[in-house]
Amino acid sequence: MKEIIVKILTELRPEFDFSVDADFIEEGMLDSFDLVNLVSDIENEFGVVIDGMDILPENFSSVENIESLINRSKKR
C-alpha cells in the first residue's frame, strides 16, 4: 500500500520526494488544493470513502498517516 501512496503523491507533486521522512504539510509539499485531489485519488485507487471530518492536515502529513486513514476508511 505504501508504494501506491507514494506513487499517487509523486504524480500529484513530482517535484518532491515523498519517500523521505518529512511532514508533508509542514514542509510545504502539500497544500489544501493538493488535499482535495489526493482525497479523490485515494478514494478511486483504494475504493474507500474518506469522511469529511477526516480531511485534516495531520492525516496527510506522512505516508504512514495516509495509510492509517485509508485503513480506518475501509472499516466504515
Side-chain angles (χ1 to χ4, degrees), residues 17-62:
D17 180 5
F18 289 98
S19 64
V20 298
D21 187 25
D23 184 320
F24 303 151
I25 306 298
E26 288 284 322
E27 298 294 323
M29 298 165 77
L30 295 174
D31 61 26
S32 58
F33 295 111
D34 295 325
L35 294 185
V36 172
N37 291 320
L38 182 56
V39 167
S40 176
D41 291 345
I42 287 171
E43 288 180 334
N44 290 333
E45 180 69 35
F46 294 99
V48 298
V49 174
I50 295 174
D51 189 289
M53 299 297 287
D54 287 330
I55 302 175
L56 303 168
E58 57 266 22
N59 287 333
F60 298 92
S61 62
S62 69

Side-chain angles (χ1 to χ4, degrees), residues 57-73:
E58 57 266 22
N59 287 333
F60 298 92
S61 62
S62 69
V63 172
E64 290 77 20
N65 289 354
I66 295 170
E67 184 176 25
S68 293
L69 174 62
I70 294 167
N71 287 329
R72 285 194 314 273
S73 297

